Each structure stands twice: as structure tokens, then as C-alpha cells.
Amino acid sequence: MSGPHEPRDEFIRALESRVGAAARHRGPSADVPRWIPRSRPLLALVLIGGVAVSMAAGGSVVALAYQAQTGEARQMLEMSYKQRAVLARDQHVMAMKLLQAIQQRVAVGAASTMDLLDGQLKVAAADADLRSVELQVEEVRLTGHEPVTQVSAPLVSGRDFVSERWRIELSVPTAEFQAEQTRMKHAEARVSLGMIDSFEIEPIRARLKELEFAMDGYRRKLDFRQKFLNKSIDAGLADLRVMEVEADQRMKILMSKIQVGLRALARLKARVAVGAAQSLEFAAAELELRQMDVEVSKAQYDLALIRQKIDQRGR
Amino acid sequence: MTDAEVLETYRATIRSLYAYVSRRVGGNRTLAEDLVQETWMRALDTWPRRGVPDEPIGWLITVARNAIVSHFRRVRPEVDAATIDLEAPSFTPDDPDAASIVSWGLARLRRGHAELLEAFYFDEKSVRQIATDRNTSERAIEGRLRRARAALKKKLGRLRPASAPRDGSLKDTIKERTIHVRPTRAS
């Protein structure tokens, strides 16, 4: 509005909406004789139209109210994720500072290279966490909803947030795997020198296995995500396939733990036999192993159920 | 006539139509908006039957003009005509009071006079421009303007606010009001 004879924008919009509504309402009568508006059918139509317009107006009011509400919720959600990002940034800075302190201690021989590995892992984890939260902030900003983690989630403005998130998450076990490999070499060297017992390598080996399963799980999930996006598989099957991957991964990790547990139990049994350990310790280890066994059975059942559903879809 | 056609016409003409009406009511927004809306409602009554005219803005302005005339035939301004001096070269009816007085008078003049005075007062056309538009001489336009102004003054002589007291106290008060003036237009 620039002059006294320029209409207000609100007036233009309001009248435009009235003109539009009236044009829609009156439009069909263009070629109709004048007596028709007085006829009953048209009167009924006009009444129906009036009701429809009234309902549409009511609907638009509700929609506007809902929009205002969702706008507010969206802002709150975005704010909460931004706060998480601030925290993640702080943690990253702290991890970096800790790593620098360890590096200084390693340089003067006050800390081992294993401590350095731990510091590096913390930085890698904090970095992945920060990137993941920043990704969530971006997703919330674009969608106004909580980030979606399902394999069958649609692209958001052409971006594949699900794959991006999984790749970031994959970087954590990958970094840890490399660190554990270094730790393993270090431990093996100490075993060969007779400095530690060979059994002390077992937890590292088990951890390596777990990390391998975790990395494999992410790769398989990424593969199914790609298949879903390429429309090679539908959303339902993609979801089932990812559930299968997760159940399989859970079962493999438990099996690996049971293997380690069994070896530990045999060792403990031998120690109890020579009086080097108490039978209570043995009983506790045995109980833990049985609990894991139950968990494996449960994981196997879940996996079988998921595979059955996949088979049913295939038929 | 499709909805899109109507809306397109609306968007293309609304500002010009509003400006036309607003000038004739001295920038009185409420009145201008009512009249513009009334004009468009008439268009929506007529166009579905007869189709959108070739020159929609011309059609709308004609209808708006009739709506203004009709309004000022019904509504009597609450101000005294003596507050304005039509003869003053700097006079322009660009405030609601002055515009309502002039429009009230124009609504009672014959069309020829009214259109000439409208072009001069509300469209702010110079004598030369009016002469060019009407394909006539400036001298002829000056003569017609003089006669039209005299006719308007005569009509305005009848205009006395309904609420004006006989002792003229309101008239005196209104006279004290500042009438917006612009530099004299070159003829």
C-alpha cells in the first residue's frame, strides 16, 4: 500500500476470496435461463452448496487452528533438537580436550597408547553423535516431525536421512573395530611375551566379533534401504528385512557371548577344582550363561517369526 | 466464464477500480471498499449471464460510477458545502468531506457536466488533457467547465447538513477545517 488511493492488501485478499467463492457458486448458471434459479432442484443445490461452503469455511478454520498448533509444536520440537545439538557440541569439545590431554601424557610417557585409543574412540563417538543430532535438526526443520528411522521412510526434499544417519552410526563401530584390532595386536604381543594369559585376549576377540556383526548389520540395512528406494522391494518387505537383520545380529552377538562365556566357565571350573576360585563365582557365571541361552532362544524365535512372515509375503 | 478468468480479471483490475472509487470518496476507505465490493458483486451477477466484457475495467468503472451516484443520491453529507471553494484554482477534493460534497453535487448533475468535472477534480486531468481526450479545443473545455462548475455550485447551494443548526455554528466550525490544497494544475 503506497498511497491514499491504494487498496489495503487485506481488503484485496478478502474480496478476492469472496469473488472466487461467488464465481464458483454462480459459475454454473452461465448459460442457464433466469427462471431456473427459482426452481426447486437448483434451490436444493444452492442449499447444498451453502452447506458445503459453510463446512469448507468451518474446515478451513479448524485447519488454520491446527496449523497454528502444529506450527508451535514444530518450533518446540526444533528447539529441543537444537538444544541436543548444543549438548552434543559441548561433549565433542570435551572429548577433543580429553584426547589432547591424553596425547600430552602419552608424549611424556604418563599414559599408554591404549589410553590414546580410548581417547580417540571417545572423539569418534562424540563426533558421530554430533553429526547425527545435526542431521536430526535438519530433518525436523524440513519435516516438522520427529526424525524417522524406518527403512521405508520416504525421502525428505530429495534427501535420504535414514541412510545418512545409518552411515554416521556405522562410523562408530568401524572406528572401534580398528581400535580393538590395535588392542588385539598389542595383547597378542604381550601373550607371546608371557606377560598376560591367553584368556585375556578373549574379551577383545568377542568385542571384535560384536563390532563385525554391528558393521555387517548396518551394511545390510543400507543395502535394503537402497533396494527400497530403487523400488526393488516394497515398504513392508523392507521393514521385515531390517527386522530380520537386527534379530540376526542380536542372535549372533549373544551366540558369540555364549561361546566366550562357555570358555570362561570351563576355566572357572578348573580354578574351582584347584581351589583358586569359589563355587559361588562358578554358579553366578553359570546362571549368567543360562540367561544368555534363554535370550538366544528368544532371538531365534523372533528371527524364525520374521522369516516366516517374509516367506508368506514371497508366496 | 471460468473461475480462473474471473479471478484473473479481478487481479488485473482491482487496484485501478479501487483508485477510481477512492478518489471520488476522498480516500474514505470504508466507503471505497463497500462500493468496490458492491461493484464486483454486480459483476458476478451479470457476467455469468452475459460473459466477461471485452473491457472489464471500463465496465467495472461504469458500474462503480453508478454505485457512487446511487450512494450520494441516498446519503447526504454531514458537512456544509460552504466549506469548499470550487472556484479556487488550487481546490482538489482529496479529503472525505470535500469529496463527499462534490460527489453529492455530481450525483445530481447531468451526465455531461458530471463527467467533465470528474475528469477535472477526481482524475486530476488538466484542461489540455481533457481537450485532447475529447478531441476538442482547450477553450471549449474551459467554457464547459465554467458552466459545469456553475451548475454544481447551484446544486451545492441546496446542500445543508441535516444536523446543521440554523444559527450556523456548525458551518463556522467546519469552515475552520483545513481543506487540502495542491499546487495549481497547469492548463
Side-chain angles (χ1 to χ4, degrees):
Chain A
M1 202 169 74
S2 57
H5 303 305
E6 276 284 304
R8 293 178 303 127
D9 289 337
E10 306 92 86
F11 169 70
I12 294 180
R13 278 197 295 273
L15 185 56
E16 182 172 332
S17 111
R18 273 199 72 181
V19 166
R24 275 191 294 280
H25 182 61
R26 297 174 196 190
S29 65
D31 302 317
V32 177
R34 292 190 72 129
W35 58 269
I36 284 186
R38 288 175 216 143
S39 74
R40 285 188 176 188
L42 190 65
L43 191 64
L45 276 176
V46 167
L47 283 172
I48 291 166
V51 169
V53 167
S54 150
M55 282 171 74
S60 56
V61 168
V62 171
L64 280 171
Y66 180 73
Q67 210 174 8
Q69 214 173 17
T70 51
E72 200 181 333
R74 185 188 184 126
Q75 275 184 338
M76 283 174 69
L77 191 66
E78 213 176 313
M79 192 63 77
S80 109
Y81 273 91
K82 279 181 179 164
Q83 281 170 350
R84 284 190 209 180
V86 170
L87 282 174
R89 217 164 280 132
D90 289 346
Q91 279 174 347
H92 186 257
V93 170
M94 278 170 67
M96 289 290 284
K97 281 182 183 165
L98 187 70
L99 179 63
Q100 281 170 357
I102 294 170
Q103 280 169 336
Q104 283 167 359
R105 287 173 62 208
V106 169
V108 295
S112 69
T113 47
M114 293 302 107
D115 296 324
L116 193 62
L117 274 182
D118 286 337
Q120 284 167 342
L121 271 181
K122 277 179 186 154
V123 170
D127 182 57
D129 192 37
L130 175 60
R131 282 191 292 147
S132 179
V133 176
E134 281 175 343
L135 197 70
Q136 286 171 333
V137 170
E138 183 64 8
E139 191 175 345
V140 168
R141 191 183 66 76
L142 287 171
T143 62
H145 302 295
E146 286 278 357
V148 184
T149 51
Q150 273 179 309
V151 66
S152 54
L155 297 179
V156 178
S157 304
R159 275 185 76 173
D160 180 7
F161 281 100
V162 174
S163 293
E164 283 186 54
R165 190 175 304 116
W166 283 345
R167 281 195 197 98
I168 291 170
E169 286 172 10
L170 172 61
S171 70
V172 179
T174 306
E176 202 180 337
F177 185 78
Q178 285 163 355
E180 288 299 326
Q181 276 182 323
T182 310
R183 209 188 299 275
M184 184 71 158
K185 278 180 197 163
H186 190 74
E188 278 170 346
R190 293 180 76 192
V191 168
S192 66
L193 291 169
M195 289 168 75
I196 55 165
D197 193 284
S198 63
F199 184 75
E200 291 195 32
I201 293 178
E202 285 297 318
I204 305 173
R205 187 170 287 133
R207 184 68 189 145
L208 274 170
K209 278 274 176 207
E210 275 179 39
L211 292 167
E212 228 173 294
F213 295 143
M215 289 189 299
D216 183 52
Y218 276 116
R219 287 191 197 111
R220 283 164 66 192
K221 276 158 64 171
L222 280 164
D223 184 44
F224 285 124
R225 172 71 177 162
Q226 209 51 48
K227 281 182 178 159
F228 167 71
L229 292 177
N230 292 341
K231 295 181 178 156
S232 310
I233 53 172
D234 63 21
L237 187 58
D239 285 333
L240 281 170
R241 285 291 183 194
V242 166
M243 282 164 76
E244 183 192 20
V245 168
E246 285 168 352
D248 185 46
Q249 186 184 328
R250 199 162 50 245
M251 202 186 70
K252 280 178 177 169
I253 289 171
L254 281 168
M255 296 283 274
S256 166
K257 279 185 178 171
I258 285 175
Q259 292 300 316
V260 175
L262 280 172
R263 282 196 287 273
L265 198 67
R267 183 182 155 83
L268 199 59
K269 193 178 181 182
R271 289 181 70 201
V272 169
V274 294
Q278 289 183 352
S279 56
L280 189 66
E281 272 182 75
F282 179 80
E286 201 175 31
L287 181 66
E288 200 181 338
L289 206 59
R290 285 183 188 205
Q291 279 171 342
M292 276 199 278
D293 205 32
V294 172
E295 281 180 47
V296 167
S297 301
K298 199 167 165 271
Q300 276 175 331
Y301 173 77
D302 288 344
L303 191 59
L305 204 65
I306 293 164
R307 284 183 175 155
Q308 189 188 36
K309 282 185 182 172
I310 292 172
D311 286 345
Q312 282 168 353
R313 285 184 71 92
R315 274 175 214 157
Chain B
M1 186 190 75
T2 63
D3 302 354
E5 241 182 297
V6 173
L7 285 173
E8 198 183 321
T9 308
Y10 170 84
R11 288 175 196 135
T13 57
I14 183 65
R15 288 179 189 277
S16 315
L17 176 66
Y18 184 92
Y20 174 88
V21 175
S22 178
R23 272 191 235 108
R24 278 147 184 84
V25 297
N28 180 338
R29 284 205 178 278
T30 313
L31 183 54
E33 288 177 0
D34 281 348
L35 291 168
V36 168
Q37 183 169 301
E38 192 185 331
T39 304
W40 261 99
M41 290 306 118
R42 283 190 198 175
L44 290 165
D45 269 333
T46 312
W47 292 359
R49 280 182 275 116
R50 296 184 189 170
V52 179
D54 293 338
E55 289 288 333
I57 186 65
W59 191 96
L60 288 165
I61 279 176
T62 304
V63 171
R65 189 182 180 280
N66 291 339
I68 294 166
V69 167
S70 172
H71 170 82
F72 283 109
R73 279 184 182 162
R74 281 196 320 270
V75 179
R76 196 180 174 91
E78 283 292 319
V79 282
D80 194 338
T83 57
I84 61 167
D85 183 5
L86 289 171
E87 303 291 344
S90 58
F91 169 73
T92 52
D94 60 358
D95 77 275
D97 286 347
S100 67
I101 291 167
V102 174
S103 289
W104 183 88
L106 293 181
R108 284 158 180 80
L109 284 187
R110 63 183 174 91
R111 199 175 178 100
H113 279 165
E115 281 178 358
L116 195 64
L117 290 170
E118 267 183 58
F120 186 76
Y121 285 123
F122 292 123
D123 299 331
E124 297 180 1
K125 286 185 176 174
S126 65
V127 172
R128 183 178 297 163
Q129 278 174 306
I130 297 171
T132 310
D133 289 350
R134 291 167 189 240
N135 200 21
T136 185
S137 67
E138 286 178 40
R139 199 187 168 102
I141 293 297
E142 274 171 353
R144 284 185 210 170
L145 264 177
R146 203 168 37 250
R147 288 191 290 279
R149 211 179 276 128
L152 180 62
K153 271 186 85 174
K154 200 173 167 187
K155 294 285 179 194
L156 292 182
R158 295 184 206 158
L159 181 63
R160 177 173 286 274
S163 56
R166 285 184 181 273
D167 63 5
S169 59
L170 179 64
K171 183 178 167 182
D172 294 340
T173 312
I174 293 164
K175 264 188 174 176
E176 285 165 16
R177 289 189 191 174
T178 309
I179 302 278
H180 293 276
V181 287
R182 286 207 199 100
T184 313
R185 275 169 278 149
S187 60

